[in-house]
């Protein structure tokens, strides 16, 4: 790959004025006029108001310019929110909660954009994993902003319209989308990665590590590598002897949470607060071992608490539970019992629960916005909006997930593997929709992929009168994307398979697909006939595997969690 400089090309041969490159022919280093660059974006009119109107620049420099404007807009957004929150007496309570969500999300966007700009300033070309990371971040920035906007509209729409006109919500959304679009167009097809040429073809299914016979999780003991004192502490508390393993998970430190006071902490929240900031994967995990017990607390793992691993004693043994809901005045974002934003988070052998029930509407058990995050052997339990896969790249393996309406929702790039997906009994006359994927921009790398999963009825739905309809999903946002492959669907799945959100909204822009599923509910003969619905081939399905969709081969081996890289 050529080395692309950041210098603007102010001089341009007049002969190029007669050539209008196509999308496929424009290289990041080739200077083009503003109009040509803007025609590659979703909103050329807006793009033409942002990019310089004189001279010729290359896509790389146009992209960097839009990112600088995105960062400026994010800071302006955060300043506006802080200005309103500085005067809480003039705000209705629901607006305060929504603005607090926006402050957190906008702060994340400022941090994310600063990191992107610094990365591009520090390197001449991107390694493949860097490019994938930046794509995930730029997708998440748009998602964070949309989440803020949605929360304000739902929680305080009338007040919002009267008083928040100066907050640059629509401008921020457009400039973030422009940056994402330009990034997608100038990122090289082949990067300067030292791994160029590595095989990425279809491969047989495989596991990351061999697990030992006894211990953590449903498939054996996680091979942990730590210092002798920490190893002794873990073995004493867990009652598990850790077998030596050459290929094992590095542990930086271990603390114990026990409700009887015999550990380092009695609450999970206090243990999280004690964790070091900004660990890197090379440092090893900060491991929190959570003894059996019911923990009635609301846990938040912030953005700066990275590479934290949390291991419990098993499903229904180590339980974190809460009951916050929208009906009781919380925003959807802040209704979560457990929320994680810190990169590299791993949870194992735990139950996360929201007990608000179906009558309380949106009530999140787990909210996950953490890049390279993993849940293994966990149970995530709620009713409406159980699991909020907010953003970034995520992986769930051997988990049980319970809910009713839109109970796996959000806009992450996420793969579920070998999970049990249990639909519960909703309110009278409600239908179940298992997924509600929220992609708002076709350039986002996001979507929900479910492989080797089992779609089943929970006990209360099985014992009902059988009138409840259950669907695989519905399009929450315009470019909603969900793929279900090599999974078992029981008879609870309606023959139509998928449910509209509102009339014809998104039916021609969504991407819903099924591949090689089994069970009574998997018959595609009577599925919806929307333009965006597909029964796909193995070649298309490969795009949504762990290897290709979330780049799992690059990071899942470090977690020690079993996974399948490709198709079966």
């Amino acid at each position: 790959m050529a080395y692309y400089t950041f210098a603007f090309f102010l001089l341009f041969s007049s002969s190029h004025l007669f050539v209008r490159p196509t999308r496929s022919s424009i290289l990041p280093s080739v200077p083009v006029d503003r109009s040509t660059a803007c025609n590659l974006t979703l909103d050329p009119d807006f793009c033409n108001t942002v990019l310089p109107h004189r001279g010729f620049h290359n896509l790389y420099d146009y992209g960097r310019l839009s990112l600088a404007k995105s960062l400026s807009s994010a800071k302006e957004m955060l300043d506006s929110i802080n200005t309103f929150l500085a005067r809480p007496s003039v705000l209705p309570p629901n607006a305060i909660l929504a603005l607090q969500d926006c402050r957190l999300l906008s702060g994340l966007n400022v941090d994310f954009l600063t990191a992107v700009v610094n990365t591009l300033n520090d390197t001449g070309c991107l390694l493949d994993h860097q490019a994938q990371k930046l794509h995930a971040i730029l997708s998440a920035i748009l998602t964070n902003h949309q989440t803020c906007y949605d929360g304000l509209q739902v929680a305080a729409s009338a007040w919002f319209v009267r008083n928040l006109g100066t907050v640059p919500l629509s401008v921020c959304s457009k400039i973030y989308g422009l940056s994402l679009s330009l990034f997608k167009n100038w990122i090289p097809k082949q990067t300067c990665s030292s791994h160029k040429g590595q095989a990425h073809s279809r491969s047989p299914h495989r596991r990351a590590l061999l697990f030992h016979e006894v211990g953590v999780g449903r498939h054996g003991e996680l091979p942990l590598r730590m210092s002798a004192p920490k190893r002794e502490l873990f073995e004493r508390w867990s009652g598990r002897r850790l077998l030596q393993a050459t290929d094992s998970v590095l542990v930086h430190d271990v603390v114990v949470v026990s409700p009887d006071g015999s550990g380092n902490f009695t609450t999970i929240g206090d243990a999280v607060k004690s964790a070091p900031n900004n660990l890197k994967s090379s440092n090893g995990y900060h491991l929190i071992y959570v003894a059996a017990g019911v923990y009635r607390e609301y846990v938040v793992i912030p953005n700066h608490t990275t590479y934290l691993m949390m291991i419990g004693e098993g499903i229904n043994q180590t339980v974190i539970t809460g009951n916050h809901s929208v009906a009781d005045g919380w925003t959807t974002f802040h209704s979560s019992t457990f929320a994680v934003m810190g990169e590299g988070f791993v949870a194992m052998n735990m139950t996360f629960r929201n007990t608000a029930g179906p009558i309380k509407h949106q009530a999140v058990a787990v909210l996950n916005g953490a890049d390279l995050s993993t849940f293994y052997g966990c149970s995530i339990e709620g009713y409406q909006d159980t699991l909020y896969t907010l953003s970034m790249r995520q992986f769930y393996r051997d988990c049980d997930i319970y809910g009713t309406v839109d109970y796996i929702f959000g806009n992450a790039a996420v793969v579920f593997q070998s999970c049990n997906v249990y639909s519960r009994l909703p309110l009278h006359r409600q239908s179940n929709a298992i997924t509600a994927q929220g992609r708002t921009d076709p350039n986002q790398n996001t979507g929900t992929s479910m492989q080797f999963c089992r779609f089943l009825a929970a006990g209360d739905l099985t014992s009902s009168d059988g009138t409840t309809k259950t669907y695989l999903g519905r399009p929450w946002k315009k470019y909603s994307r969900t793929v279900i492959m090599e999974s078992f669907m029981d008879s609870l799945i309606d023959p139509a398979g998928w449910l509209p959100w509102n009339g014809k909204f998104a039916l021609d822009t969504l991407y819903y697909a099924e591949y090689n599923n089994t069970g009574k509910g998997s018959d595609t003969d009577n599925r919806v006939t929307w333009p965006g619905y597909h029964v796909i081939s193995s070649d298309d399905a490969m795009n949504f595997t762990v290897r290709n969709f979330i780049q799992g081969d690059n990071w899942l081996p470090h977690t020690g969690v079993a996974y399948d890289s490709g198709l079966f």
Side-chain angles (χ1 to χ4, degrees), residues 142-185:
L142 200 55
T143 298
N144 288 344
H145 184 72
Q146 184 67 46
T147 303
C148 164
Y149 181 84
D150 288 349
L152 286 171
Q153 289 284 69
V154 170
S157 57
W159 184 92
F160 164 79
V161 170
R162 288 196 307 271
N163 298 283
L164 291 184
T166 59
V167 178
L169 287 167
S170 60
V171 174
C172 279
S173 181
K174 288 183 177 181
I175 190 64
Y176 297 159
L178 174 60
S179 293
L180 176 62
S181 183
L182 289 171
F183 177 87
K184 277 289 298 293
N185 281 289

Side-chain angles (χ1 to χ4, degrees), residues 66-75 106-121 134 137-138 141-142 172 175-176 179-180:
S66 73
L67 285 167
K69 289 184 178 293
S70 288
L71 179 55
S72 177
S73 295
K75 290 178 177 177
S106 297
L108 284 174
N109 281 356
V110 170
D111 291 344
F112 283 160
L113 283 162
T114 300
V116 171
V117 170
N118 288 342
T119 297
L120 294 178
N121 285 339
L134 295 191
I137 288 175
L138 292 174
I141 287 167
L142 200 55
C172 279
I175 190 64
Y176 297 159
S179 293
L180 176 62

Side-chain angles (χ1 to χ4, degrees), residues 73 223 259 389 498 513 564:
S73 295
T389 58
W498 306 85
D564 296 300

Side-chain angles (χ1 to χ4, degrees), residues 115 249 312 345 355 357 378 423 457 513 515 541:
V249 178
F345 175 76
T355 61
C378 293
S423 293
Y515 168 72

Side-chain angles (χ1 to χ4, degrees), residues 438-471:
R439 192 168 66 138
T440 61
D441 189 305
N443 290 310
Q444 289 177 307
N445 70 334
T446 55
T448 298
S449 173
M450 311 187 81
Q451 184 184 24
F452 311 140
C453 293
R454 302 173 73 227
F455 295 86
L456 307 166
D460 57 352
L461 184 60
T462 301
S463 60
S464 69
D465 61 8
T467 60
T468 298
K469 292 187 176 183
T470 298
Y471 299 89

Side-chain angles (χ1 to χ4, degrees), residues 92 286 333:
H286 182 79
F333 186 85

